[in-house]
């Protein structure tokens, strides 16, 4: 926290003499804060057991990997109540001609009230740099260099990474080309080497076909060298090819994603032959606007899984780094709990077995300040879960019932409340240590979201 206070003082001091003059810079300061209090009857759903990112969630006995990631996520956990704070602050300095900009942003949290970061008479000494980049307008576009948001696709890669990106607009289309570095041996060992570099390259195009249809296309390539995620070293070459879209008429609206994840995984010599990556994801939402206050939609999501850890095919889809919206209890992107960094998974997958989500959703705007949203969803793994010997294979995770309420306190502050309940199915027993999942898991949260 001392670093944050010092940064604010410095920003204020340097802004004073420059803000009112014809100087070389103008300054902006933005931020957000989340405060939330949560109650749940199962603490096991708060442990962040499965993260996207460079997880390489493929099924391979050659690499010494056991397929069970969610080892205790749905065991009968303890009941608890807790509170957390998460804050993000961002500083922007722009030249007076508007052609160059520097951005620095940092994050604190999510900190539990009462832990060693938010203890009595004490504050945290740890912060995370979230953004650190410069942006230049040149060659009919913008170049962005440094730690920045990737923004490729909601199911593949949305979070920050360090690299170089170029964006340009042509008519109603935006084109992006980027290179990002995931792991650099020079940066981590101070030795010049190319053996351990993890390089990402992507191309993306998004545009308006007409007033009712927007389309997007992207390709991402990952050259992964000499990783050691499990018992053995390996290298890999992955790629993702996708098409996305949004459509609307006066009453009907929706969106879709179709993505293929291919490539080859190369174990070290003596550990077996190469493994072919062959995963895919399909997502479709179709909705109907009943009136200006009420709309309903149906969502179907299918993410492929792997059915055999002993063959040479990894048929499951994997993400790079995302926060998906598939309910309150298990996933990260659609709840106060998840946004405060408590979740089972932040990717669209259940271990290496994929994911199926079928959801009926509704949203009602009561008035200018009050809004409610609800969803009923059925959750499955795409392939049967079979982690516990002697237990029947099954893919039924269960039914989830979600409810969200938001009150607009003013233009910067929203007060929120939410409730999620998962009635577990037979497949949920496979995601435990003893084969007996909690029959019903709830999470309820209230909180304040402050943005400026």
């Amino acid at each position: 926290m001392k670093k944050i206070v010092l940064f604010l003082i410095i920003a204020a001091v340097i802004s004073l003499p420059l803000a009112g003059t014809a100087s070389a810079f103008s300054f902006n300061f933005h931020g957000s804060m989340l405060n939330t209090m949560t109650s749940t009857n199962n603490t096991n759903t708060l442990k962040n057991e499965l993260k996207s990112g460079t997880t390489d969630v493929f099924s391979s006995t050659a690499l010494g990997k056991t397929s069970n990631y969610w080892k205790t996520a749905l065991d009968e956990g303890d009941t608890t109540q807790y509170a957390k704070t998460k804050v993000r602050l961002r500083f922007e300095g722009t030249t007076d001609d508007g052609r160059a900009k520097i951005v620095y942003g940092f994050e604190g949290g999510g900190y539990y009230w009462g832990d060693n970061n938010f203890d009595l008479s004490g504050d945290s000494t740890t912060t995370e740099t979230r953004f650190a980049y410069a942006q230049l307008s040149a060659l009919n576009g913008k170049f962005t260099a440094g730690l920045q948001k990737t923004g490729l696709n909601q199911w593949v890669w949305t979070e920050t990474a360090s690299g170089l990106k170029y964006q340009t607009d042509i008519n109603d289309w935006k084109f992006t080309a980027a290179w990002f570095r995931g792991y650099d041996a020079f940066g981590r060992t101070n030795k010049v080497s190319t053996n351990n570099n993890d390089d990402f390259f992507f191309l993306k195009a998004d545009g308006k076909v007409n007033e009712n249809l927007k389309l997007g296309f992207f390709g991402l390539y990952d050259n992964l060298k000499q990783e050691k995620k499990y018992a053995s070293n390996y290298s890999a070459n992955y790629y993702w090819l996708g098409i996305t879209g949004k459509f609307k008429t006066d009453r009907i609206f929706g969106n879709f994603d179709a993505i293929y994840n291919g490539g080859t995984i190369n174990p070290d010599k003596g550990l077996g032959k190469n493994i072919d990556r062959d995963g895919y994801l399909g997502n479709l939402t179709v909705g109907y606007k009943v009136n200006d206050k009420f709309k309903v939609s149906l969502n179907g999501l299918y993410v492929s899984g792997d059915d055999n850890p002993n063959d040479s095919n990894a048929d499951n889809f994997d993400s790079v780094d995302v926060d998906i919206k598939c309910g309150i209890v298990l996933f990260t992107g659609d709840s106060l709990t998840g946004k405060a960094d408590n979740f089972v998974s932040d990717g669209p997958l259940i271990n290496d077995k994929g994911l199926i989500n079928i959801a009926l959703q509704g949203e009602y705007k009561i008035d200018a300040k009050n809004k409610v949203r609800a969803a009923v969803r059925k959750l499955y793994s795409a392939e049967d879960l079979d982690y516990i010997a002697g237990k029947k294979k099954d893919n039924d995770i269960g039914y989830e019932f979600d409810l969200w309420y938001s009150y607009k306190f003013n233009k910067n502050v929203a007060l929120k409340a939410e409730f999620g309940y998962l009635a577990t199915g037979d497949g949920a027993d496979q995601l435990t240590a003893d084969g007996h999942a909690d029959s019903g898991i709830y999470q309820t949260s209230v909180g304040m979201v402050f943005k400026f």
Side-chain angles (χ1 to χ4, degrees), residues 1-5 32-37 82-89 106-128 340-341 448:
M1 188 62 72
K2 293 178 181 178
K3 292 181 181 179
I4 296 176
V5 173
S32 65
M33 174 177 280
L34 167 65
N35 284 292
T36 181
M37 292 174 284
Y82 67 93
K84 297 187 78 172
T85 293
K86 188 172 186 177
V87 60
R88 289 175 172 172
L89 300 173
F106 57 90
E107 175 179 311
Y111 296 133
Y112 290 96
W113 295 5
D115 71 3
N116 59 359
N117 294 311
F118 268 33
D119 202 354
L120 297 175
S121 302
D123 53 19
S124 175
T125 59
T126 59
T127 58
E128 171 191 345
D341 300 332
M448 176 182 69

Side-chain angles (χ1 to χ4, degrees), residues 107-302:
E107 175 179 311
Y111 296 133
Y112 290 96
W113 295 5
D115 71 3
N116 59 359
N117 294 311
F118 268 33
D119 202 354
L120 297 175
S121 302
D123 53 19
S124 175
T125 59
T126 59
T127 58
E128 171 191 345
T129 297
R130 182 163 177 81
F131 298 110
Y133 64 85
Q135 189 174 87
L136 300 178
S137 296
L139 301 178
N140 297 316
K142 291 181 179 180
F143 290 89
T144 307
L147 182 63
Q148 58 189 287
K149 192 173 184 68
T150 56
L152 177 66
N153 175 267
Q154 63 175 325
W155 306 110
V156 179
W157 201 7
T158 56
E159 278 292 349
T160 57
S162 54
L164 177 65
K165 182 165 61 178
Y166 172 73
Q167 294 176 298
T168 187
D169 294 335
I170 301 177
N171 297 325
D172 292 329
W173 286 78
K174 175 179 287 187
F175 297 88
T176 304
W179 161 63
F180 288 99
R181 172 59 57 83
Y183 176 89
D184 184 2
F186 176 75
R188 300 197 182 194
T189 66
N190 294 321
K191 295 180 181 178
V192 177
S193 171
T194 59
N195 291 332
N196 296 317
N197 294 340
D198 185 4
D199 289 306
F200 295 87
F201 304 89
F202 76 70
L203 296 173
K204 182 181 180 183
D206 297 283
K208 182 187 293 186
V209 178
N210 54 48
E211 291 301 317
N212 297 324
L213 178 63
K214 295 179 180 179
L215 289 178
F217 305 89
F218 69 86
L220 169 65
Y221 175 74
D222 177 16
N223 182 28
L224 184 66
K225 296 182 179 179
Q226 294 301 311
E227 290 293 294
K228 189 174 182 180
K229 297 293 181 184
Y230 311 112
S232 306
N233 289 342
Y234 67 96
S235 60
N237 293 282
Y238 300 134
Y239 63 89
W240 290 259
L241 300 173
I243 177 172
T244 67
K246 293 183 179 180
F247 54 89
K248 65 177 183 178
T249 64
D250 290 340
R251 296 288 184 181
I252 298 173
F253 63 91
N255 60 77
F256 63 87
D257 304 84
I259 306 168
Y260 178 75
N261 179 196
T264 305
I265 303 155
N266 308 301
D268 276 0
K269 293 181 179 180
L271 293 176
K273 57 185 178 181
N274 292 346
I275 303 165
D276 293 325
R277 167 76 79 187
D278 189 23
Y280 55 93
L281 179 149
N283 175 64
L284 175 64
T285 298
V286 177
Y288 181 76
K289 184 178 179 181
V290 179
N291 52 46
D292 290 339
K293 291 187 174 183
F294 181 50
K295 59 184 179 180
V296 295
S297 63
L298 181 65
N299 171 256
L301 170 68
Y302 183 91

Side-chain angles (χ1 to χ4, degrees), residues 292-349:
D292 290 339
K293 291 187 174 183
F294 181 50
K295 59 184 179 180
V296 295
S297 63
L298 181 65
N299 171 256
L301 170 68
Y302 183 91
V303 186
S304 67
D306 190 63
D307 62 348
N308 187 350
N310 301 306
D311 63 14
S312 59
N313 295 308
D315 297 321
N316 56 303
F317 182 91
D318 200 9
S319 298
V320 180
D321 198 356
V322 292
D323 296 293
I324 72 160
K325 297 180 178 181
C326 279
I328 291 174
V329 177
L330 299 179
F331 299 97
T332 181
D334 210 10
S335 69
L336 294 169
T337 305
K339 291 173 182 177
D341 300 332
N342 291 105
F343 50 85
V344 174
S345 175
D346 66 357
L349 38 86

Side-chain angles (χ1 to χ4, degrees), residues 68 70-71 351 384-394 425-433 435-437:
N68 189 0
W70 292 13
K71 295 179 180 178
N351 300 332
D384 283 342
L385 303 170
D386 57 356
Y387 303 131
I388 299 178
K391 194 78 177 179
K392 180 184 176 182
K393 298 179 182 180
D394 207 293
D426 291 341
D429 290 336
Q430 293 278 352
L431 302 174
T432 65
H436 298 285

